[in-house]
Amino acid sequence: MRNIDINPQSRRELNASIILAAMLWSFTMIFGDELIISIGRTAFSLLPILPIAVFGIALIRHVKRTGQSEQSAMRSNIGLATAFTVVFVCGLGQVKGAGFAQITAMAAYTCFAAALSLIWTVRRVCKC
């Protein structure tokens, strides 16, 4: 099996965005009531978008560092994983009692990683 190579700079950027999401999730769970009072419920509900945006920027920078031959497959895999993640987040956000802030960026990351792994495995097995 071929090892997955990733540029060290891309690895650092992607890891930093995931650490940012974990820290933000921890702070929102600890200081949720105080944050709602100070910034409002709408701004609090939009907080998980920040680490997802940072992760998206890091992912775009990683794709740009990748060779031309791998870029098209990587873009289609990332696009499909993003679509699955959007369906997951939007679908779960409509569940009674669960808002976008309760889903958290970590759940979105987990769904994205699982979808990307599943797509990669299916394409590898099917040779698509």
Side-chain angles (χ1 to χ4, degrees), residues 67-89:
Q68 289 287 53
S69 61
E70 298 174 1
Q71 276 189 1
S72 63
M74 187 181 294
R75 285 181 180 156
S76 65
N77 290 349
I78 290 171
L80 282 171
T82 302
F84 286 133
T85 304
V86 167
V87 168
F88 167 76
V89 169

Side-chain angles (χ1 to χ4, degrees), residues 12-25:
R12 284 190 293 272
E13 290 174 358
L14 292 168
N15 286 340
S17 69
I18 292 170
I19 291 168
L20 172 69
M23 288 174 44
L24 187 64
W25 180 75

Side-chain angles (χ1 to χ4, degrees), residues 79-124:
L80 282 171
T82 302
F84 286 133
T85 304
V86 167
V87 168
F88 167 76
V89 169
C90 292
L92 195 61
Q94 301 303 315
V95 174
K96 185 176 182 178
F100 189 65
Q102 284 76 27
I103 292 172
T104 73
M106 292 309 293
Y109 281 134
T110 304
C111 179
F112 181 80
L116 197 57
S117 298
L118 179 67
I119 291 166
W120 182 77
T121 303
V122 167
R123 287 199 173 173
R124 187 173 180 102

